[in-house]
Amino acid sequence: MKLSRLVAVAAAALLATACSPKKAEVAPAGQVTIRFATDWRAQAEHGGFYEALATGEYAKRGLNVQIVQGGPGVNVPQLLASGAVEAGMGSNSFVVMNLAQQDVPVKAVAAMMQKDPQVLIAHPDQGINGIADLKGHPILLSDASVTAFWVWLKSKYGFTDDQIRKYTFNSAPFLADKKVAQQGYVTSEPYTIEKEAKLKPKVFLLADNGYPSYATMILVPQALIDKNPAAVRAFVEASAKGWHDYLYADPKAADALIRKDNPEMTQDVLDQARDKMRSYGIIDGGDAKAMGIGAMTDARWAEFFNVASSQGVYPKTLDYKKAYSLEFVTPAVK
């Protein structure tokens, strides 16, 4: 998890050569261009940003926003560090804290998801009724997850590294072995497993069991904060409005943009994901109930840092507050 800033920037230069976003389009007169890099292919979990784009929320605030679709070959922190994009999506709190540890001048300025949608998925007939029951079971995890929420699982439940099995975003190994569990998003894998395998799995949302990470954060370089704080604030406000409307107004235009960027996406997957985000309070639960979509607090960041540093992921002396700014979220958040 330790990567020097020099290495990060050098890697970004290599990445930019291979798969960099296209050059920013010329913005209409008076508008500020913001290329926003997402963390994966277009999906409902990015819906609020597409909603704000489709309904003109960005444009009416003087922004020319271009969504740069992510994928397996795109590293958002590297794109930000190299200046290839003006803003990007932070998948979880580890991403943000890693940037602070590496002294990369990029900060989280809002958290669109109060709950990280990460889940563990188990077979229904194995006597597994909670996360604790998975101790000792093989668990399919991606490399990124081993250095992220797995740290919390080991700390809280005593899980051990010999449980780890390689996850390649394919549920076939899970379906082939009833003792195996796998990671996923509450908005995605449980539905596709049930749809394709006719199996209703046990699903455990880590956030509802105390996992303190934020998700789908807006990350911006300190240089943009210093140069144009009004543009940062406008992007946060428009995105929050987009997320509200994607969940509770008409999502058709946003869904059309998502399917255009990602033709493999289907409407039924988008619909059920939006339902899950509402029912689990992924976007507007937690502090967002009182403080508004995008809310972050010092207390929540301190809780996350204390868990991670207690496991040796970060030195206890790290100034973790340099990882984020509360300047651009609801004024009540202090």
Side-chain angles (χ1 to χ4, degrees):
M1 297 183 66
K2 295 182 179 179
L3 179 66
S4 73
R5 183 180 171 192
L6 285 175
V7 172
V9 175
L14 290 173
L15 179 66
T17 301
C19 56
S20 65
K22 61 184 178 181
K23 274 192 172 183
E25 299 170 7
V26 176
Q31 289 196 340
V32 177
T33 293
I34 293 183
R35 290 165 295 177
F36 178 67
T38 66
D39 60 354
W40 198 248
R41 298 185 184 97
Q43 54 190 329
E45 291 84 345
H46 305 157
F49 303 109
Y50 280 96
E51 181 83 10
L53 182 62
T55 59
E57 292 297 333
Y58 293 125
K60 72 173 61 172
R61 291 170 174 81
L63 302 178
N64 174 40
V65 171
Q66 301 159 24
I67 296 177
V68 179
Q69 184 177 209
V74 176
N75 185 308
V76 174
Q78 289 175 353
L79 292 174
L80 284 164
S82 70
V85 296
E86 289 74 33
M89 188 181 298
S91 303
N92 57 60
S93 295
F94 285 98
V95 171
V96 179
M97 207 62 67
N98 289 350
L99 289 167
Q101 186 185 24
Q102 297 154 15
D103 289 322
V104 178
V106 171
K107 290 184 176 179
V109 294
M112 295 296 106
M113 289 188 176
Q114 292 295 301
K115 294 182 180 182
D116 190 318
Q118 287 283 353
V119 294
L120 291 181
I121 303 168
H123 283 262
D125 53 358
Q126 295 299 299
I128 297 170
N129 298 305
I131 293 176
D133 296 332
L134 287 168
K135 186 175 181 180
H137 283 255
I139 303 178
L140 294 161
L141 299 171
S142 69
D143 292 342
S145 298
V146 172
T147 54
F149 67 80
W150 183 247
V151 172
W152 174 78
L153 287 168
K154 290 198 296 182
S155 174
K156 181 164 183 175
Y157 295 102
F159 289 5
T160 54
D161 287 343
D162 59 1
Q163 294 179 244
I164 297 172
R165 303 293 185 272
K166 181 80 167 181
Y167 180 55
T168 59
F169 300 93
N170 182 339
S171 293
F174 166 78
L175 295 172
D177 188 343
K178 290 187 174 184
K179 292 184 178 180
V180 170
Q182 75 160 64
Q183 70 172 72
Y185 263 18
V186 70
T187 48
S188 180
E189 283 81 1
Y191 175 76
T192 55
I193 287 172
E194 186 170 356
K195 177 183 176 183
E196 296 169 10
K198 310 303 180 186
L199 170 73
K200 189 172 180 61
K202 291 287 188 76
V203 179
F204 307 105
L205 183 65
L206 303 190
D208 283 350
N209 288 273
Y211 181 48
S213 178
Y214 288 119
T216 311
M217 285 163 283
I218 296 171
L219 310 183
V220 298
Q222 184 64 46
L224 182 58
I225 294 174
D226 295 339
K227 178 182 178 182
N228 199 340
V232 176
R233 185 176 301 280
F235 186 81
V236 170
E237 289 178 353
S239 298
K241 179 65 163 60
W243 270 109
H244 175 274
D245 291 352
Y246 187 65
L247 294 180
Y248 299 109
D250 186 354
K252 291 186 180 67
D255 284 346
L257 288 181
I258 290 171
R259 294 195 310 272
K260 180 180 178 182
D261 274 358
N262 181 9
E264 295 180 1
M265 182 55 62
T266 59
Q267 191 60 48
D268 63 312
V269 171
L270 292 171
D271 291 342
Q272 66 82 35
R274 194 164 45 251
D275 289 343
K276 296 279 181 58
M277 286 189 282
R278 285 194 295 260
S279 64
Y280 280 91
I282 298 294
I283 305 297
D284 54 0
D287 292 325
K289 288 181 180 178
M291 300 176 178
I293 292 173
M296 301 189 301
T297 66
D298 283 324
R300 177 79 172 268
W301 278 109
E303 180 185 4
F304 174 82
F305 177 73
N306 289 337
V307 169
S309 61
S310 70
Q311 290 298 300
V313 179
Y314 308 110
K316 293 182 182 294
T317 56
L318 177 66
D319 179 12
Y320 68 88
K321 289 189 176 182
K322 66 183 179 181
Y324 63 93
S325 170
L326 303 183
E327 177 183 355
F328 303 99
V329 289
T330 307
V333 183
K334 300 294 183 184

